[in-house]
Amino acid sequence: MIVDEQVFADGYLPKRLLHREAEVEVLAGAFEPTLDGDQPDDVLIHGPHGVGKTVLTRHTFGRLEQRADVEWAHVRTMGLSTAGVIRATLQALGEDPAQNTPQEDLCLELRERVDKPTIVVLDEGDDLSSDALARLADVQLLAFVPIVHEPERLLSRVDDDRVRHRLVGRELELDRYASRELADILEPRVRHGLRTSVDDEFLEEIADHVGGVARKGIQTLRAAAEIAAERQCRIEAVGVDAAHERAMTWIREANLQSLTLHHHVLYEIVRDAGAIEPDELHDRYDDVATAVYADREQTPIGRRSRRNKLRKLATYELVVVDGANRHRTYRAADNTVESPIQYDVLQATG
DNA sequence: TATCCACCGGAATTTATGGAAG
DNA sequence: CTTCCATAAATTCCGGTGGATA
């Protein structure tokens, strides 16, 4: 059924970027000074998860690259400190600074390295520090393009006036696609990725179901193809609901896999309980901790750290939080997503 | 209505770890 | 080998929050 997995991969760059013509124009306009060897304008890209923010920058830069002498760095800044952002930028530009280079030296190195127009995409930039942006602003010929979910949240933290002026009024918003548009985007993936064709109505149904979020639409299409192959039926015979569910399970499983033992322990306690209040969750953790951590490197963590882990689990859509304050409850978003440590927890619980 | 309580989450601090330079 | 500087993770501290309680 599926002939080319690549087409459904997250990093896949389609030849044509459909229904983003206006956004491409804006971004290309900001980059235009590079044609004369000048410093490009900064742009603050924002929009919800999975609507093609990263793809837009890669596509636009790909076009620019053929006409201008320009460099670019794509940096995933999530969880990076100020020095981490500078270091990652240098690495993206092909440098390899030592792990313990002082922050000041990193900034100097970057200033020396950049000798032509350079665009630095700061992906997942929601908690970028004002300081990191200020350091990048010090570099001649360098423009930054932070990609965030909520621009106000970033701007409210920027206390440096120079940085503020470089971002205010330079916002570029990407919204969810209309169902018709997303169906258009799915169609070429069918042609290049699948062996059979798929009814247009079905694509639109998928688009509708995922609320115009491209990433989810693409994964749902892929899931539908997989289910169709298992059942040996036409793709259109697969329920969009079931396909969407499988796609979300994939995403969650991948997310859980990337997390630490602490996350897994907390997740399994929550999943096992169905819905659980904070105090009981902590009690359960204390109960099972010695048994679960007994033959492992790590040791149990305190309450404050558990809150951080739980927050991470929530942002990864593994755990859902209902209510506020101490009256909140935690529950697993998808009970079928389980951790390999599940057995340990249940055993220790008795 | 005012105060209390248990938890949340930001910020600062501590602890563990590791590469580079002297 | 020691010192310096860095990162990462966990802990400590504490103000904020909003339903519960007197």
Side-chain angles (χ1 to χ4, degrees):
Chain A
M1 184 62 74
I2 295 174
V3 289
D4 189 358
E5 288 282 347
Q6 275 295 107
V7 172
F8 302 100
D10 232 29
Y12 177 72
L13 192 62
K15 290 208 175 58
R16 295 188 54 206
L17 201 59
L18 298 170
H19 300 297
R20 286 291 189 227
E21 289 80 10
E23 289 82 357
V24 170
E25 275 313 299
V26 172
L27 200 55
F31 294 166
E32 215 166 84
T34 61
L35 296 174
D36 300 322
D38 295 329
Q39 177 170 327
D41 292 335
D42 310 288
V43 181
L44 174 55
I45 296 179
H46 59 101
H49 279 294
V51 297
K53 299 187 292 296
T54 305
V55 166
L56 173 73
T57 61
R58 289 175 54 206
H59 176 267
T60 310
F61 180 79
R63 287 195 339 175
L64 176 71
E65 196 176 26
Q66 294 167 8
R67 299 192 297 147
D69 188 17
V70 56
E71 281 196 283
W72 105 310
H74 178 262
V75 180
R76 298 182 55 186
T77 67
M78 193 200 277
L80 294 183
S81 59
T82 297
V85 172
I86 308 295
R87 169 175 290 108
T89 303
L90 277 164
Q91 279 166 352
L93 290 170
E95 301 294 310
D96 188 22
Q99 190 185 317
N100 61 339
T101 311
Q103 182 171 314
E104 283 305 323
D105 295 4
L106 287 171
C107 293
L108 284 172
E109 199 176 330
L110 183 61
R111 261 177 267 181
E112 278 170 34
R113 171 64 179 72
V114 174
D115 54 2
K116 64 172 82 165
T118 301
I119 295 159
V120 179
V121 175
L122 303 167
D123 212 343
E124 302 166 27
D126 286 275
D127 28 55
L128 271 171
S129 71
S130 178
D131 204 36
L133 290 169
R135 297 308 186 136
L136 291 173
D138 282 339
V139 182
Q140 293 292 312
L141 293 174
L142 182 149
F144 40 69
V145 181
I147 298 181
V148 303
H149 295 112
E150 297 162 19
E152 301 81 17
R153 219 173 70 87
L154 178 64
L155 287 171
S156 72
R157 269 208 321 281
V158 172
D159 42 26
D160 188 303
D161 272 347
R162 289 171 313 139
V163 175
R164 171 166 287 276
H165 279 109
R166 285 177 60 158
L167 290 175
V168 178
R170 309 220 59 92
E171 296 96 343
L172 174 59
E173 179 178 9
L174 272 69
D175 209 344
R176 293 175 175 81
Y177 291 97
S179 295
R180 182 60 257 154
E181 295 172 342
L182 182 47
D184 289 341
I185 289 164
L186 294 177
E187 196 276 330
R189 317 250 171 174
V190 171
R191 251 187 301 121
H192 295 129
L194 303 183
R195 194 148 37 74
T196 62
S197 67
V198 177
D199 284 350
D200 190 61
E201 293 81 54
F202 188 73
L203 297 182
E204 211 163 321
E205 199 183 329
I206 289 178
D208 209 40
H209 200 275
V210 298
V213 175
R215 179 182 290 139
K216 289 182 179 173
I218 291 161
Q219 290 314 308
T220 301
L221 173 62
R222 177 170 169 246
E226 200 182 270
I227 294 171
E230 287 164 13
R231 296 190 196 153
Q232 308 215 346
C233 67
R234 288 176 51 75
I235 289 188
E236 292 87 344
V238 177
V240 170
D241 250 332
H244 182 237
E245 199 125 307
R246 178 174 297 197
M248 289 310 293
T249 299
W250 282 339
I251 293 169
R252 291 198 178 98
E253 277 170 351
N255 286 345
L256 183 59
Q257 196 126 43
S258 73
L259 297 173
T260 71
L261 172 66
H262 308 304
H263 294 97
H264 284 244
V265 175
L266 288 162
Y267 175 75
E268 279 304 315
I269 291 171
V270 170
R271 194 173 72 90
D272 182 49
I276 190 166
E277 288 167 20
D279 57 342
E280 199 193 328
L281 172 57
H282 287 303
D283 287 348
R284 291 281 293 275
Y285 185 93
D286 293 333
D287 286 346
V288 303
T290 42
V292 173
Y293 287 88
D295 51 357
R296 298 177 204 267
E297 287 281 303
Q298 292 106 313
T299 51
I301 53 175
R303 290 186 172 227
R304 181 67 185 88
S305 296
R306 294 175 209 168
R307 288 204 288 273
N308 284 342
K309 307 296 178 208
L310 285 162
R311 224 151 77 94
K312 191 78 163 181
L313 287 166
T315 62
Y316 275 15
E317 293 187 61
L318 284 159
V319 163
V320 180
V321 181
D322 301 305
N325 272 309
R326 71 175 178 282
H327 304 285
R328 64 168 48 185
T329 60
Y330 299 98
R331 64 185 164 83
D334 180 349
N335 272 306
T336 68
V337 174
E338 42 188 78
S339 156
I341 67 130
Q342 174 212 16
Y343 183 67
D344 303 73
V345 174
L346 294 181
Q347 202 178 40
T349 308

